[in-house]
């Protein structure tokens, strides 16, 4: 797999302080910590609906990518220049040892072709996935970001692609209301569809 390095600003003093604090954290079971846009955010694991969506997606992705050399993962650290995220799901090589981060705390974002977040209730959670993580994943150059959002009208899937790290934005953005199939445009999950079989209540 050919990985294109992403060039961005060097790590700042704040990044280093947050990185050291994040590494030293000892959270109780059921919580996770992420470094998102200059802050450490601690959140509980998702509710039942969140687990249902994540597991439907994971099982369907496993079947779709069978034999591709890639697989879906959950509950793992994706690392980029002393930033750390725990996506609900991410796609990576079947052998994660191919894409370690420098300190062996997770995987390097440069080897992750897709991340998926299932939005949790609450203004802060919604804004994190729709806005802050969207910018962070684009800065890291992650090719595809999928947001499964129960709270966008009657529900919608957002498929974002073609990241521009300098602008912290995705050039392609498609919003697909629940009841219609959202299609992954590129990468090892290309052609994978997210429809009612996954988003149904």
């Amino acid at each position: 797999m050919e990985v294109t390095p992403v060039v961005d600003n060097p790590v700042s003093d704040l990044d280093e302080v947050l990185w050291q604090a994040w590494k030293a954290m000892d959270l109780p079971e059921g919580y996770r910590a992420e470094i998102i846009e200059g802050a450490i955010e601690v959140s509980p694991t998702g509710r039942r609906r969140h687990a249902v969506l994540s597991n439907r997606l994971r099982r369907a992705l496993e079947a779709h990518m069978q034999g591709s050399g890639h697989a879906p993962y959950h509950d793992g650290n994706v690392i980029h220049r002393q930033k750390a995220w725990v996506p609900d799901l991410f796609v990576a090589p079947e052998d994660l040892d191919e894409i370690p981060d420098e300190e062996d705390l997770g995987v390097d974002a440069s080897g992750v072709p897709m991340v998926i977040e299932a939005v949790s209730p609450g203004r802060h959670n919604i804004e994190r996935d729709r806005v802050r993580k969207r910018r962070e994943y684009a800065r890291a150059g992650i090719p595809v970001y999928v947001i499964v959002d129960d709270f966008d009208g009657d529900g919608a899937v957002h498929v974002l692609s073609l990241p521009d790290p300098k602008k912290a934005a995705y050039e392609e953005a498609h919003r697909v209301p629940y009841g219609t199939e959202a299609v992954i445009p590129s990468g090892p999950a290309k052609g994978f569809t997210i429809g009612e079989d996954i988003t149904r209540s």
Side-chain angles (χ1 to χ4, degrees):
M1 175 176 70
E2 187 175 322
V3 176
T4 304
V6 175
V7 178
D8 57 1
N9 297 328
V11 173
S12 69
D13 290 342
L14 175 60
D15 290 332
E16 179 64 27
V17 168
L18 290 170
W19 182 247
Q20 295 304 325
W22 177 81
K23 289 194 303 181
M25 294 181 82
D26 184 18
L27 296 175
E29 189 173 336
Y31 287 85
R32 62 185 180 180
E34 301 173 284
I35 303 173
I36 303 172
E37 295 197 328
I40 295 175
E41 296 194 22
V42 177
S43 58
T45 54
R47 298 178 182 184
R48 183 183 66 251
R49 170 67 176 167
H50 193 273
V52 166
L53 284 172
S54 296
N55 279 296
R56 285 178 185 162
L57 284 160
R58 183 181 49 78
R59 287 192 302 270
L61 275 166
E62 281 175 348
H64 180 81
M65 293 189 297
Q66 190 82 28
S68 71
H70 286 75
Y73 296 89
H74 71 283
D75 198 28
N77 296 320
V78 174
I79 309 289
H80 175 69
R81 300 187 61 76
Q82 296 189 335
K83 309 290 189 302
W85 313 297
V86 185
D88 294 323
L89 289 173
F90 64 93
V91 170
E94 287 179 352
D95 182 0
L96 290 181
D97 289 336
E98 293 179 15
I99 57 166
D101 71 289
E102 289 181 6
E103 296 188 41
D104 205 28
L105 298 171
V107 298
D108 192 298
S110 66
V112 173
M114 183 169 79
V115 291
I116 301 176
E117 299 285 3
V119 178
S120 295
R123 182 188 57 78
H124 183 77
N125 296 327
I126 291 169
E127 195 265 346
R128 178 179 60 231
D129 290 341
R130 289 182 186 170
V131 180
R132 294 194 313 281
K133 279 195 168 182
R134 180 176 180 154
R135 289 192 297 247
E136 288 283 56
Y137 293 149
R139 280 187 193 104
I142 293 174
V144 178
Y145 176 30
V146 178
I147 306 168
V148 181
D149 192 344
D150 281 352
F151 309 98
D152 179 352
D154 292 328
V157 177
H158 296 257
V159 180
L160 312 168
S161 59
L162 301 177
D164 183 335
K166 289 182 180 177
K167 293 180 180 176
Y170 284 91
E171 293 181 7
E172 293 284 332
H174 299 281
R175 179 189 179 275
V176 181
Y178 283 4
T180 307
E181 291 190 338
V183 182
I184 303 306
S186 60
K190 182 177 180 176
F192 177 71
T193 60
I194 302 172
E196 281 189 295
D197 54 331
I198 290 171
T199 60
R200 71 184 187 280
S201 296

